[in-house]
């Protein structure tokens, strides 16, 4: 029989210790999620280099906006700053033939991904680029093992298509993309000479 973690060694309720343990667990989970997110970002960076080297696309990560708080004393040109909430999609670029490409990237260690993982500003940005004819999607990592390229219209209309505001991994099997050698093949399966018909093919 497992011990009630809300009680101390003497068997009395000790909510302070219980909350402290929960706090430590949250910190560990937060560090693990951050590390996984950074690894996912590195994989996407390698993918960008891969396509750039092959002259198939030039894709770059959107710099995180920063807010300067104050200059550093006695250190000209240096400032104390903080990151502001990202309002633009994560990655932007151009694929061979001149079509713009804009996408978000999200990682999860669970078995489903929620629509709300994108902020309203990010969704608005993707919708605007989509309306102008850009190649738009969300790249999702499940446990850094499986990767999916979900077209923006599918993500946007998740409630209508799946009946809820999240999708399970098995429900998006048709959008899975390979990652040989740790390089996520973002454009795998695309005919770069037929990019104008991309949305018609992936959403039919």
């Amino acid at each position: 029989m497992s011990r009630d973690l809300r009680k101390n060694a003497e068997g009395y309720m000790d909510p302070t210790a219980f909350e402290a343990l929960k706090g430590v667990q949250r910190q560990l989970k937060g560090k693990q999620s951050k590390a996984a997110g950074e690894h996912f970002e590195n994989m996407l960076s390698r993918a960008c280099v891969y396509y750039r080297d092959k002259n198939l696309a030039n894709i770059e990560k959107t710099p995180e906006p920063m807010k300067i708080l104050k200059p550093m004393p006695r250190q000209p040109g240096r400032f104390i700053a903080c990151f502001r909430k990202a309002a633009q999609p994560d990655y932007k670029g151009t694929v061979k033939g001149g079509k713009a490409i804009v996408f978000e990237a999200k990682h999860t260690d669970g078995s489903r991904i929620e629509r709300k993982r994108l902020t309203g500003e990010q969704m608005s940005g993707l919708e605007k680029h989509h309306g102008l004819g850009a190649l738009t999607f969300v790249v999702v990592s499940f446990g850094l093992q499986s990767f999916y390229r979900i077209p923006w219209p599918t993500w946007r209309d998740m409630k209508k298509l799946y009946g809820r505001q999240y999708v399970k991994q098995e429900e998006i099997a048709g959008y899975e993309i390979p990652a040989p050698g740790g390089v996520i093949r973002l454009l795998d399966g695309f005919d770069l000479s037929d990019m104008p018909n991309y949305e018609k093919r992936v959403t039919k």
Side-chain angles (χ1 to χ4, degrees), residues 31-156:
K31 289 181 179 180
Q32 291 172 344
S33 297
K34 182 180 179 181
E38 290 175 350
H39 185 68
F40 182 36
E41 184 176 312
N42 289 336
M43 293 180 73
L44 289 168
S45 295
R46 290 198 294 271
C48 293
V49 172
Y50 171 83
Y51 286 110
R52 189 177 304 125
D53 289 347
K54 288 185 172 295
N55 199 34
L56 293 174
N58 185 30
I59 305 169
E60 297 179 330
K61 189 178 189 308
T62 304
E64 294 187 65
M66 295 188 68
K67 179 181 179 181
I68 296 177
L69 300 178
K70 62 180 180 179
M72 293 284 286
R74 296 183 296 279
Q75 297 186 50
R78 302 191 68 181
F79 302 88
I80 296 175
C82 66
F83 287 111
R84 302 172 64 181
K85 186 173 69 172
Q88 300 183 55
D90 289 335
Y91 292 85
K92 299 177 182 177
T94 307
V95 299
K96 188 175 182 179
K99 194 171 184 68
I101 180 171
V102 182
F103 64 92
E104 284 288 340
K106 298 298 176 185
H107 169 80
T108 179
D109 288 316
S111 60
R112 71 185 196 182
I113 187 77
E114 297 185 359
R115 185 179 184 272
K116 68 180 181 180
R117 288 289 302 277
L118 267 63
T119 66
E121 292 86 353
Q122 290 169 330
M123 288 193 275
S124 176
L126 283 172
E127 182 63 24
K128 288 178 181 177
H129 285 287
H130 171 71
L132 292 169
L135 184 64
T136 50
F137 50 85
V138 181
V139 179
V140 178
S141 157
F142 283 88
L144 298 174
Q145 298 296 317
S146 302
F147 306 92
Y148 300 81
R149 182 184 58 219
I150 305 176
W152 164 242
T154 300
W155 187 280
R156 179 193 63 201

Side-chain angles (χ1 to χ4, degrees), residues 95 99 135 149 151 153-154 174-175 187-204:
V95 299
K99 194 171 184 68
L135 184 64
R149 182 184 58 219
T154 300
Y175 298 130
L187 304 181
D188 191 77
F190 287 165
D191 179 358
L192 296 182
S193 66
D194 192 31
M195 274 297 170
N197 294 317
Y198 159 74
E199 298 291 5
K200 295 179 184 178
R201 294 197 305 276
V202 299
T203 59
K204 64 182 179 180

